[in-house]
Amino acid sequence: MDMTKRELCSTGIEELDIQMSGGIPLGSTVLVTGCSGSGKTTLCMQYLFDGAEKGDRSVFFTITEPLFKLTKNLESFSFYKKNLIESGMVNIIDLRIISERLGLDTEKYTVDDAGALLDILKDIANELEVKRLVIDSITALCYRLQTREMIRDFIFKLGTSLAVMNCTTLLTSEVPPQTYKFSQYEIEEFISDGIIFVGDIERRGDLIRTLQVVKMRGTDHTRTKFAMHISADRGIELMPLLKSSEIDSVLTEKVQSSLRSWDIPKEKVML
Amino acid sequence: MDMTKRELCSTGIEELDIQMSGGIPLGSTVLVTGCSGSGKTTLCMQYLFDGAEKGDRSVFFTITEPLFKLTKNLESFSFYKKNLIESGMVNIIDLRIISERLGLDTEKYTVDDAGALLDILKDIANELEVKRLVIDSITALCYRLQTREMIRDFIFKLGTSLAVMNCTTLLTSEVPPQTYKFSQYEIEEFISDGIIFVGDIERRGDLIRTLQVVKMRGTDHTRTKFAMHISADRGIELMPLLKSSEIDSVLTEKVQSSLRSWDIPKEKVML
Amino acid sequence: MDMTKRELCSTGIEELDIQMSGGIPLGSTVLVTGCSGSGKTTLCMQYLFDGAEKGDRSVFFTITEPLFKLTKNLESFSFYKKNLIESGMVNIIDLRIISERLGLDTEKYTVDDAGALLDILKDIANELEVKRLVIDSITALCYRLQTREMIRDFIFKLGTSLAVMNCTTLLTSEVPPQTYKFSQYEIEEFISDGIIFVGDIERRGDLIRTLQVVKMRGTDHTRTKFAMHISADRGIELMPLLKSSEIDSVLTEKVQSSLRSWDIPKEKVML
Amino acid sequence: MDMTKRELCSTGIEELDIQMSGGIPLGSTVLVTGCSGSGKTTLCMQYLFDGAEKGDRSVFFTITEPLFKLTKNLESFSFYKKNLIESGMVNIIDLRIISERLGLDTEKYTVDDAGALLDILKDIANELEVKRLVIDSITALCYRLQTREMIRDFIFKLGTSLAVMNCTTLLTSEVPPQTYKFSQYEIEEFISDGIIFVGDIERRGDLIRTLQVVKMRGTDHTRTKFAMHISADRGIELMPLLKSSEIDSVLTEKVQSSLRSWDIPKEKVML
Amino acid sequence: MDMTKRELCSTGIEELDIQMSGGIPLGSTVLVTGCSGSGKTTLCMQYLFDGAEKGDRSVFFTITEPLFKLTKNLESFSFYKKNLIESGMVNIIDLRIISERLGLDTEKYTVDDAGALLDILKDIANELEVKRLVIDSITALCYRLQTREMIRDFIFKLGTSLAVMNCTTLLTSEVPPQTYKFSQYEIEEFISDGIIFVGDIERRGDLIRTLQVVKMRGTDHTRTKFAMHISADRGIELMPLLKSSEIDSVLTEKVQSSLRSWDIPKEKVML
Amino acid sequence: MDMTKRELCSTGIEELDIQMSGGIPLGSTVLVTGCSGSGKTTLCMQYLFDGAEKGDRSVFFTITEPLFKLTKNLESFSFYKKNLIESGMVNIIDLRIISERLGLDTEKYTVDDAGALLDILKDIANELEVKRLVIDSITALCYRLQTREMIRDFIFKLGTSLAVMNCTTLLTSEVPPQTYKFSQYEIEEFISDGIIFVGDIERRGDLIRTLQVVKMRGTDHTRTKFAMHISADRGIELMPLLKSSEIDSVLTEKVQSSLRSWDIPKEKVML
């Protein structure tokens, strides 16, 4: 696709940008879906700090992790720059603290509470003129609503709000492990322009993190599954999954070598 | 079948028309079913712009994506012709805006709301004398109804309405990923004359888009699964899935070569 | 079994009759179960037109497809004889039109509505002295009832009605794709003397239609799964499924040939 | 086990008796579980006629199939002896007719209705001094009760009743196809002393009927799965399932022959 | 583990005791879980009669099987010693008879009924000074309670009661066939110190009984799956499951022999 | 990651600490998830006694196992040091006894009860100045609450409480066997900084215990699956799972040896 017409927002993960022909189209709402421990929060943080380096002010709304823990965990990563926090380029806000200030029950929201929270969220984003926004997680936010109907209404309202805001948003979406669905309520994807799925595959007893761009409207993205590495030095990186050359091919090579010589066949990673 | 008796509506995807012996029978209601990111919206748009080129006026009702985003995403495709929009040959209408004008809650419909919306929809289609109609998506529309019973009633009403309208309709139907069912509520297929399923298969870590005509009343269609490619230049194209020659045959060839020579066996795509 | 004692009703599908030692025992109620697009309606129509040719008057009750569409689709088939419709040998009746005439809501039935409809249905069958009857589909009919309890009651009432009527009945029963169950509510089979399952198997990316007689009381039927072909010329035909000679045997032959010669192994269809 | 201490009731199926070291212990309640079309009714009928030949008076209670159909279907089998019906040795009773006489709704029972029916059932069994009793099916009987709680109570009451009656009882229990559970409500097995499971396995496109004694208190039974054949001449017969000698062994033999000679390997039936 | 510190209760099944380094720790509550027909009742009886031989008085509470049937079935086993019943060393008590005496509905308990029953149960155990106690089955007992909440409360109460009683208890727990869970309500395991799972594996068409100690607090038990044989002579015995040497090894040996000689490979039992 | 910035809490299991680059970050809340019998309780106890040795005072709250049983089972392990209990370094408290003292129903909590219990729990932890805390199990605790909503509220409240407490907490979380999810209610993970999954794999009929660090915020942990051994001498130890060198490689070696010699291939443990 000719993406020159559209402005793109880099993610701070080089290989991921390449997979999407440059980045996320500005103004998109993207679900980052995966189970607990799959690296969603780190991915979002790296995205925000990358933006801040490039001049995009950003805000991260958390609903489960207290600020001090979040920050402590962040400090291990080299992409974390304290000065970007201090200069107000990256803002991390605990929705529970906001809830408290609003006089809301922090563990249980009514429809009105959720509406009030949404308004505050919008106000903050507008006032700060943020370009990048993260809500971590939409699932935990919805858990505070009491009925499925309330949740559905809230998600559609959130979608409407985000659509008119001027920023590129990541919503983390938590699903059970080893489950390939995009969201807890199967409604969240209706308000999203893109879906990035972070999963696991088990290989010889290890859990390998994977990342796949399932959907990204307005980009010519691949849908290849990558191995996703997380390290303190380089944050998140994508690498090709060593593909199984399938049982039969491995077998054949080994049969060859068994006929030819007594070499120990080289280890191959099975997909 | 002798399809000369029936008039057919081409889809704008050559290979798909061939699979259905020429196209969709005029006046049919067709479900286009797939998960988020499977390419349903693009398929429908290509269908409408193709029709417009051939003189069929059309309307696209969206319920999730705002118009400006939809248009921005469309602009990447070469099948998109701005003048067809401007001349009123392709009409894109946001059902939420219509809802607002009707004074309805845009995120939550009562039975009466849904009825009113259906009437407007019919009026628009009649007034514009459209020949091709798309609703994207029937699933998101139904999510705005509060109970399963309301949804069932609405779907049957929609079916009754569409049956007497003079156009060939595509209804996009969203299902969870890796799920082979035709609709969210398993009622939508009762009002459809055809079902086109767009899915995914994972091949060596990539998600390949697939398309299959599952049902098309009044045509002599194949039910072959095709690989579906989306590109800015050519929009949607169907290509044969490189079939696995099954493990055993690959194996045999390799055994052959292992006996004959030490050649590295050529890569084969496994189904 | 010695079927000479019982009179049988041919189905119009020669191979199917053979599988059932001659046909369906007169007076039976048979479920024709399959997913959307599996060919249930065509099978039933072929059964009725075959009967009409042999002098059996028949009636087809539809609840989802409007008459004009149904007829249009039928016209493609060579078994369709317009004169059999005109002479009243095959009667196609839209239950929704009957509902309207009875002043019922066509999309939602009460218990009384369902009872009234059943009575009309019986009256029509008796008045026309039909020998073959089809309801397409019992599933769509039940969807118009509001609770599971109402559905259960209706199905048992229908069974009681059909048992005393003088005709051989096919009830189409819709199940989700790739699901091997006999009915939506798992009650329908209690009122049936026979079950014909029309399914799909995927073979190298194609969906092959299959047919299997699962149950047919009073006949000495096979339970073999057949490939089911639908063509305009010959309607539905059954053909043996080319059986996999299983991986190992294919493998062996290939190993043989690999040892003997370098021939490319012939393609085999895998079950 | 030393079964000489206990009296046993032969089933009329020789191989089945052998599997249970002689038959069903007198006074047992046995579930005959399987899906629609698996041959439960035929097995029960053969059991009753066998008993009648040996002087055991018996009664068959049906709740789904009308008497005239049941009899018509029976007539095909050679084990059916009209004189045993006429002499009152085998009694076939339609529970719906009894319901009618009691002034009950035949499609829907209250707790009291079910109790009344149970009492009649007991009275009939006692009056006729039956030694063998069949209820076909307990599942259909329970479907006439409105709530799960009513069903549970009814099943326990039935168990209490049967335990003190002087006959050996078969209760047919209907489960969905390809489901390995013993009953619809998973309570029926609590009142049973034995479970005979009749199932299907698919072999190269055919559905083969199978039978397995899962449980039979007080006998030293095998739990081998047999192929079950039904023919007019001999009714139900059990035969050993040709076992797969597993892929590898087939493979090996073929490799042997491929090395030794070019013989076409003989067809093997895979389990 | 150094089990010398703890007193152990042998099970009467030698191999099982060995697996648990001597037996069940005194005072434990152990779930014996399996489907209908898996041999739970026999295992518990063998445990009680073994204890009685060693001087442990015991009580068996049954809720589904009437006493006379239970006893008849027991008589086949050589471990059954009539004198141990007569001398009051093994007591078999029908909870339904107790319920009747308490004036309770035997098929349906209220919370108070269940409480009263628990009290009686405790009184009996205390009065008889039993060392071994069995309830067969906790599942059937719970089925008599009307709501999930009542069941949960009852199970916790039962746990509290058993914890302070002076005996080693087996609770049979019934689960559907081919289901690997430990109890019907998934609460029963919270009150248990040990879990013994009796299951089935299908091998070439036979159902083989298996036994596995999943959990046994305070012992150094293995978790190996054994084949469990039941015979009149020796009751329950455990035997090693002939393990599959896996496809590949079988294959290799056969390839060896195929290269070396033309012997027919010996049958191997596949796991 | 550069973990020098953060203080870590060793687990008492050397290999596990290594996997987490030193231990659990101080102040974390960690779910220890597994089925009944997977060793969760032992793991937690070893963690507490290890801490006590190093000077960390700790408290273990139990809700299912009575103290005397818990202690008896502990005594078998060499890591158990009676003096650490006596000196108040390790405190084991039965929540049911606390409930009783508070005048609560020990089997059923209201929202207020749960709140009161939480407060007590916090008070105890603060008063004792504990550094390590265990709740065994959060699942059993939640089972005492009556509705899903109450449970959700309680878990969020617990999370809020733990976040501000000054200790490193393990919450055991019970899931059904052979289920890979992290908690019963799928909410527990929202309040956790880490997840340690203890599972089973079946290998040739044995159940092998496994352990995997799925998530541990703020550490550079591996996600490798280890075999987990429990012995009286050394408590819990992790060992590498002997990895299958996959069927094909085993096969190849065997083919090699079969060509080279007639050696019996050495046993390999299959993953």
Side-chain angles (χ1 to χ4, degrees), chain B residues 28-230:
Chain B
S28 298
T29 297
V30 176
L31 281 192
V32 178
T33 302
C35 73
S36 205
S38 57
K40 299 182 298 296
T41 302
T42 306
L43 188 150
C44 290
M45 279 298 186
Q46 186 162 347
Y47 163 73
L48 294 192
F49 278 93
D50 173 74
E53 296 258 23
K54 293 167 179 156
D56 284 0
R57 196 183 299 272
S58 66
V59 63
F60 183 100
F61 292 104
T62 178
I63 181 86
T64 49
E65 230 180 328
L67 286 191
F68 76 95
K69 277 197 183 176
L70 197 56
T71 312
K72 228 187 216 164
N73 291 335
L74 261 179
E75 283 168 0
S76 334
F77 290 103
S78 64
F79 65 71
Y80 173 78
K81 302 277 159 56
K82 208 179 176 180
N83 64 306
L84 293 173
I85 301 268
E86 289 165 348
S87 63
M89 286 304 284
V90 176
N91 300 277
I92 306 181
I93 294 174
D94 189 332
L95 281 175
R96 286 167 303 185
I97 290 171
I98 294 196
S99 302
E100 265 175 43
R101 289 193 192 148
L102 290 171
L104 312 177
D105 182 336
T106 59
E107 273 106 25
K108 202 157 130 184
Y109 296 151
T110 64
V111 177
D112 286 345
D113 293 354
L117 212 65
L118 256 185
D119 288 342
I120 292 279
L121 203 144
K122 246 193 296 185
D123 288 351
I124 291 174
N126 287 334
E127 238 169 86
L128 295 177
E129 294 183 1
V130 306
K131 292 268 172 283
R132 301 184 179 204
L133 189 150
V134 169
I135 300 177
D136 184 25
S137 67
I138 188 174
T139 319
L141 197 53
C142 288
Y143 267 132
R144 279 161 171 85
L145 293 162
Q146 308 303 304
T147 65
R148 199 173 165 83
E149 196 187 282
M150 281 171 65
I151 288 168
R152 193 193 48 208
D153 292 355
F154 173 74
I155 289 175
F156 280 123
K157 281 222 174 67
L158 175 65
T160 308
S161 294
L162 290 174
V164 298
M165 282 166 70
N166 217 2
C167 47
T168 309
T169 302
L170 302 192
L171 304 174
T172 67
S173 154
E174 186 136 343
V175 293
Q178 293 184 339
T179 307
Y180 188 60
K181 57 180 203 172
F182 300 144
S183 62
Q184 184 65 26
Y185 301 103
E186 298 185 348
I187 317 174
E188 294 88 319
E189 49 264 53
F190 286 111
I191 65 161
S192 74
D193 305 298
I195 298 172
I196 292 173
F197 191 85
V198 282
D200 293 309
I201 56 176
E202 190 165 331
R203 275 197 185 176
R204 304 179 163 234
D206 283 5
L207 274 183
I208 308 282
R209 285 190 175 88
T210 62
L211 182 149
Q212 195 163 28
V213 180
V214 171
K215 170 184 174 183
M216 195 57 64
R217 279 180 181 151
T219 68
D220 212 3
H221 64 92
T222 72
R223 311 178 98 205
T224 306
K225 191 184 278 181
F226 283 80
M228 179 172 112
H229 290 213
I230 306 185

Side-chain angles (χ1 to χ4, degrees), chain A residues 69 73 146 200 204-205, chain F residues 6 152 193 223 225 246:
Chain A
K69 278 198 183 177
N73 292 335
Q146 308 302 304
D200 294 309
R204 304 179 163 234
Chain F
R6 293 200 65 171
R152 195 194 46 210
D193 305 298
R223 311 178 99 205
K225 191 184 277 180
E246 259 75 50

Side-chain angles (χ1 to χ4, degrees), chain F residues 8-268:
Chain F
L8 297 165
C9 181
S10 76
T11 61
I13 301 163
E14 196 187 352
E15 187 59 40
L16 177 54
D17 288 342
I18 294 172
Q19 296 309 314
M20 299 186 296
S21 312
I24 300 170
L26 287 187
S28 299
T29 298
V30 176
L31 281 192
V32 177
T33 302
C35 72
S36 204
S38 57
K40 301 182 298 295
T41 302
T42 305
L43 189 150
C44 290
M45 280 297 187
Q46 185 161 348
Y47 162 73
L48 295 191
F49 278 93
D50 172 74
E53 297 257 23
K54 293 167 179 156
D56 284 359
R57 197 185 298 273
S58 65
V59 64
F60 183 100
F61 292 103
T62 179
I63 183 86
T64 48
E65 232 180 328
L67 286 190
F68 75 94
K69 278 197 182 178
L70 197 56
T71 312
K72 227 187 215 164
N73 292 335
L74 261 179
E75 284 168 0
S76 334
F77 291 103
S78 63
F79 65 72
Y80 172 79
K81 302 275 159 58
K82 208 178 176 182
N83 65 305
L84 293 173
I85 301 267
E86 290 165 347
S87 63
M89 287 303 284
V90 176
N91 300 276
I92 306 182
I93 295 175
D94 189 332
L95 281 175
R96 286 167 303 186
I97 290 171
I98 295 197
S99 303
E100 264 176 44
R101 288 193 193 148
L102 290 172
L104 311 178
D105 181 336
T106 57
E107 274 105 23
K108 205 157 129 182
Y109 296 152
T110 64
V111 177
D112 286 345
D113 294 354
L117 211 64
L118 258 184
D119 287 342
I120 293 279
L121 203 142
K122 247 192 297 185
D123 289 351
I124 293 174
N126 287 333
E127 237 168 88
L128 295 176
E129 294 183 2
V130 304
K131 291 270 174 281
R132 302 183 180 204
L133 188 150
V134 169
I135 301 178
D136 184 26
S137 67
I138 188 174
T139 319
L141 196 53
C142 288
Y143 267 134
R144 280 162 170 84
L145 293 162
Q146 309 301 306
T147 67
R148 199 173 166 82
E149 197 188 281
M150 283 170 64
I151 288 167
R152 195 194 46 210
D153 292 355
F154 173 75
I155 289 175
F156 280 122
K157 281 222 174 70
L158 174 66
T160 307
S161 296
L162 291 173
V164 298
M165 282 165 70
N166 216 2
C167 48
T168 309
T169 304
L170 303 192
L171 304 174
T172 68
S173 154
E174 185 136 344
V175 292
Q178 294 184 340
T179 305
Y180 188 60
K181 56 180 204 173
F182 299 144
S183 62
Q184 182 67 25
Y185 301 103
E186 298 184 349
I187 317 174
E188 294 88 318
E189 49 264 52
F190 285 111
I191 64 162
S192 74
D193 305 298
I195 298 172
I196 292 173
F197 191 85
V198 282
D200 293 308
I201 56 174
E202 190 165 331
R203 276 199 185 174
R204 305 180 164 233
D206 283 7
L207 274 183
I208 308 284
R209 285 190 176 87
T210 63
L211 181 149
Q212 195 162 29
V213 180
V214 171
K215 169 184 175 182
M216 194 58 64
R217 281 180 180 151
T219 68
D220 212 2
H221 64 92
T222 71
R223 311 178 99 205
T224 305
K225 191 184 277 180
F226 282 80
M228 178 172 114
H229 290 213
I230 306 183
S231 63
D233 284 2
R234 295 191 294 256
I236 287 176
E237 290 172 303
L238 300 190
M239 295 174 191
L241 267 175
L242 281 185
K243 294 192 188 165
S244 154
S245 315
E246 259 75 50
I247 284 183
D248 52 289
S249 99
V250 173
L251 179 60
T252 307
E253 283 181 44
K254 288 176 177 167
V255 168
Q256 291 180 354
S257 55
S258 80
L259 290 168
R260 208 167 38 195
S261 70
W262 311 128
D263 300 337
I264 303 303
K266 283 151 216 103
E267 198 70 23
K268 296 241 164 178

Side-chain angles (χ1 to χ4, degrees), chain A residues 1 5-6 27 149 152-153 156 160 180 190 193 212 215 217-218 223-225 243 246 248-249 252, chain B residues 36-37 65 69 73 75 107-108 143-146 177-178 200 202 204-207 232 250 254:
Chain A
M1 288 185 194
K5 295 175 202 149
R6 294 201 63 172
E149 197 187 281
R152 193 193 46 208
D153 292 354
F156 280 123
T160 308
Y180 188 60
F190 286 112
D193 305 298
Q212 196 163 28
K215 170 184 174 182
R217 280 181 181 150
R223 311 178 98 205
T224 306
K225 191 185 278 181
K243 294 193 186 164
E246 258 75 51
D248 52 288
S249 100
T252 307
Chain B
S36 205
E65 230 180 328
K69 277 197 183 176
N73 291 335
E75 283 168 0
E107 273 106 25
K108 202 157 130 184
Y143 267 132
R144 279 161 171 85
L145 293 162
Q146 308 303 304
Q178 293 184 339
D200 293 309
E202 190 165 331
R204 304 179 163 234
D206 283 5
L207 274 183
V250 173
K254 288 177 178 167

